[in-house]
Amino acid sequence: MRSTLVFIFAGLPLSLLAIARPQRGILLPGQVFGRDVEGPCDVSGITLPENAQSLPPPTEGLQLILIAQGTGTQNYTCADATAKPAALGALATLVNATCEVAQNALGTVNEDSAAIGVHYFVDASTPDFDIIGLGNTELKKVATVSAPSSDDVPFLKLMAQEQGTTGPIREIYRVATRGGVPPADCSEQKPNSIVTVNYTAQYWFYSCVEESV
Ligand SMILES: *[C@@H]1O[C@H](CO)[C@@H](O)[C@H](O)[C@H]1NC(C)=O
Ligand SMILES: *[C@@H]1O[C@H](CO)[C@@H](O)[C@H](O)[C@H]1NC(C)=O
Ligand SMILES: *[C@@H]1O[C@H](CO)[C@@H](O)[C@H](O)[C@H]1NC(C)=O
């Protein structure tokens, strides 16, 4: 991956790279993402699933550049048997599901295909996404809406913060969740234990990528 990026950058005139430099972060040319702009995996026409429509929409000017399927655990702590489980973060492996979602063929996502990145938490309220070729993104939750089923963790909108963000991703939506909901109470847990609950979700990544560079 690294050598591909170097090759693409080497092919760009220096003046273009200078123009592409944004006020913050890096503004990468569309080709770097290898976006399939007109092919069967084009995502330019697709919109977030119905329940996510009650979240604030992506900020104008941002473009959907990647849809990943995350598989992992949502983590909770139980201080003692009378406490409610408290969110502690999550850990998930991300695979590229862009084509499958674009073609409405989610059942065909191969969760064992090569990971393109990882999702974890730097602290209890700061999710982090580290993706090959797209740098690191640290975010804050800005909106939540219930999933269609209460067995699934809510849909979210996350916005990138400057600190810890090295790439062009500005907003991420967590949608199409399955699982991840904590037990109703801590009565079955040992004091100060960590409860991990399996989940999957789609993560939709929006970036300030400039197509025309
Ligand atoms: C994800 O898959 C799409 C479609 O195959 C591809 O264009 C894109 O480069 C991939 N993105 C990443 C970050 O691997
Ligand atoms: C969450 O649980 C996973 C095990 O699924 C663990 O590897 C990870 O370190 C945990 N993260 C936190 C913040 O507790
Ligand atoms: C959680 O996922 C792991 C890894 O896929 C699996 O081994 C484990 O059985 C799952 N646990 C439950 C309770 O489904």
Side-chain angles (χ1 to χ4, degrees):
M1 177 56 96
R2 182 171 292 272
S3 63
T4 314
L5 288 177
V6 169
F7 173 77
I8 293 167
F9 275 119
L12 284 172
L14 269 181
S15 56
L16 280 184
L17 284 176
I19 292 168
R21 211 158 282 269
Q23 57 286 39
R24 82 180 237 247
I26 22 171
L27 193 60
L28 295 170
Q31 299 96 298
V32 171
F33 301 117
R35 280 219 293 162
D36 195 351
V37 176
E38 269 152 25
C41 303
D42 177 23
V43 289
S44 57
I46 68 170
T47 49
L48 286 159
E50 200 176 313
N51 259 55
Q53 303 292 343
S54 356
L55 294 168
T59 299
E60 203 162 327
L62 297 186
Q63 291 177 30
L64 178 61
I65 58 152
L66 170 70
I67 301 170
Q69 172 92 357
T71 303
T73 65
Q74 293 287 323
N75 299 0
Y76 303 90
T77 51
C78 270
D80 58 53
T82 64
K84 289 264 180 216
L88 180 66
L91 183 67
T93 302
L94 304 171
V95 301
N96 193 341
T98 306
C99 278
E100 288 82 355
V101 177
Q103 295 169 4
N104 202 11
L106 250 196
T108 66
V109 173
N110 180 359
E111 285 172 4
D112 297 326
S113 55
I116 57 160
V118 64
H119 164 45
Y120 60 96
F121 274 67
V122 291
D123 61 47
S125 67
T126 313
D128 186 298
F129 291 78
D130 193 357
I131 297 177
I132 298 166
L134 292 173
N136 195 73
T137 314
E138 281 185 19
L139 308 98
K140 288 293 174 199
K141 182 165 68 182
V142 295
T144 304
V145 65
S146 302
S149 160
S150 60
D151 293 337
D152 306 321
V153 283
F155 295 2
L156 307 175
K157 176 175 183 175
L158 310 170
M159 288 182 89
Q161 61 177 28
E162 210 146 337
Q163 189 188 326
T165 296
T166 61
I169 294 164
R170 292 290 166 264
E171 298 179 359
I172 301 176
Y173 288 76
R174 180 178 81 183
V175 301
T177 51
R178 292 282 177 274
V181 172
D185 58 50
C186 290
S187 57
E188 312 269 291
Q189 315 299 331
K190 294 199 184 84
N192 295 316
S193 60
I194 295 178
V195 184
T196 63
V197 185
N198 286 357
Y199 88 110
T200 65
Q202 279 173 27
Y203 292 98
W204 291 43
F205 297 85
Y206 291 81
S207 154
C208 54
V209 61
E210 196 118 282
E211 201 63 61
S212 56
V213 175

